[in-house]
Amino acid sequence: MPVAERVLLRPVTMGLLLQSLLLLLILLLLGCCLCPATAFPKGCYPSEEEGLKTFRCSNARLTEVPRDIPNDTNKLYLDSNRIPFLPRDAFRDLPLLLELDLSHNAIAGVESGAFRGLTEHLHSLDLSSNRLVSVSKDAFSNLKAKVNLSNNPWLCDCRLQELIRTVELVAGSSGGIVCDSSAQEEHVGKAFLQVIADTDFCNAYKKTTDIAMLVTMFGWFAMVISYLVYYVRQNQEDARRHLEYLKSLPSKQRRSEESSTISTVV
């Protein structure tokens, strides 16, 4: 190629290169603007179902309640994960939440205040198929939602009885609340509502506590009486020895010592 043509083509090539770079920069800027501001955990995505804003994290291998859930979420699905525990204020930034599905996880503990902030709007809470053994009624304090507690390895005792009286169960789910363990072996394997029809765990617990208190009080009383008896006997023994000692003294000194002893005893 002649030198003159090469000289003429060089500016054209440079111009095309600059245009390409400029176009690439524009595309990158547009891509950043279109990207969502929040990076959701893998397997989680927002959607809209029946006019309600939904956030799904089903089967996403989560080991904790994810952060940065959109605070205008109405329905939250965290089912089929590996979440072991619900800490205090786990959902406090979701004031518009109506439905919460936590079924099929590994939840073994629910801290008091875990559902704080959901008391006004939440109407459905699914905790079925987890590893709940015992939960304080305070964890569900003021919660108006219908709760599903079925298919958990429950310990049937006064604590569970108080919890069942506190929450409103989802219709048809009560039969799935079964005693996996109990102080009385005959309750194991039975539906809890069937058991408490004949057994008041809290009344039995109160009786046991009262008996324990009476036994403790009797034990202290017996210790006090034993100490008093020991104290009196010890003093009597000391007084007897002192009198025997006085008898062995000369009469004049003995009368003086006896007077002192009698006045001391009196």
Side-chain angles (χ1 to χ4, degrees):
M1 179 179 294
V3 176
E5 291 184 6
R6 287 202 301 268
V7 172
L8 291 173
L9 286 174
R10 186 175 300 169
V12 176
T13 305
M14 292 296 295
L16 291 174
L17 181 60
L18 288 173
Q19 287 179 359
S20 299
L21 290 174
L22 182 60
L23 181 61
L24 180 60
L25 181 60
I26 292 172
L27 290 174
L28 287 174
L29 289 174
L30 287 174
C32 290
C33 292
L34 293 173
C35 285
T38 303
F40 298 127
K42 185 179 179 180
C44 298
Y45 61 92
S47 63
E48 189 165 325
E49 300 177 6
E50 300 177 352
L52 297 175
K53 293 187 177 181
T54 303
F55 194 76
R56 286 190 175 273
C57 287
S58 303
N59 207 7
R61 299 184 179 182
L62 299 176
T63 56
E64 63 179 2
V65 176
R67 301 177 181 178
D68 300 323
I69 299 172
N71 56 16
D72 59 350
T73 298
N74 302 128
K75 299 170 70 174
L76 177 59
Y77 292 89
L78 298 174
D79 55 300
S80 303
N81 283 289
R82 304 170 183 174
I83 301 172
F85 179 71
L86 298 180
R88 184 187 302 271
D89 295 325
F91 308 98
R92 67 176 180 179
D93 296 324
L94 302 172
L96 303 180
L97 200 61
L98 302 174
E99 296 182 20
L100 176 57
D101 189 348
L102 290 160
S103 64
H104 296 90
N105 273 280
I107 300 171
V110 180
E111 190 173 7
S112 180
F115 304 111
R116 187 161 51 188
L118 304 181
T119 56
E120 293 299 322
H121 296 91
L122 191 71
H123 63 70
S124 177
L125 172 60
D126 194 345
L127 282 165
S128 63
S129 300
N130 276 283
R131 298 178 184 175
L132 295 172
V133 175
S134 182
V135 179
S136 171
K137 64 178 181 179
D138 295 335
F140 299 86
S141 180
N142 300 320
L143 201 63
K144 300 174 183 177
K146 293 183 178 180
V147 185
N148 188 345
L149 298 172
S150 61
N151 299 320
N152 282 281
W154 290 110
L155 166 64
C156 289
D157 61 359
C158 179
R159 207 177 191 200
L160 179 58
Q161 183 171 319
E162 290 181 336
L163 173 62
I164 297 300
R165 287 174 176 173
T166 300
V167 301
E168 181 180 357
L169 298 175
V170 172
S173 68
S174 59
I177 303 175
V178 177
C179 299
D180 187 73
S181 58
S182 176
Q184 300 181 36
E185 193 66 28
E186 64 269 19
H187 295 157
V188 176
K190 294 182 179 179
F192 184 68
L193 292 188
Q194 175 187 349
V195 171
I196 60 174
D198 302 318
T199 304
D200 188 338
F201 287 97
C202 294
N203 189 44
Y205 174 78
K206 185 176 182 300
K207 288 181 179 178
T208 303
T209 304
D210 291 343
I211 292 171
M213 289 181 65
L214 286 173
V215 170
T216 303
M217 291 174 63
F218 178 78
W220 279 106
F221 182 73
M223 288 175 62
V224 171
I225 295 299
S226 299
Y227 176 76
L228 289 175
V229 170
Y230 168 79
Y231 181 79
V232 171
R233 287 182 176 178
Q234 188 68 28
N235 283 351
Q236 287 178 345
E237 184 66 21
D238 290 342
R240 185 184 63 79
R241 289 176 181 175
H242 193 58
L243 289 173
E244 289 179 353
Y245 167 72
L246 293 176
K247 289 177 181 179
S248 65
L249 295 175
S251 59
K252 186 175 182 179
Q253 183 179 359
R254 183 174 61 201
R255 284 196 297 272
S256 176
E257 291 287 345
E258 285 177 349
S259 300
S260 176
T261 301
I262 292 170
S263 64
T264 302
V265 171
V266 172

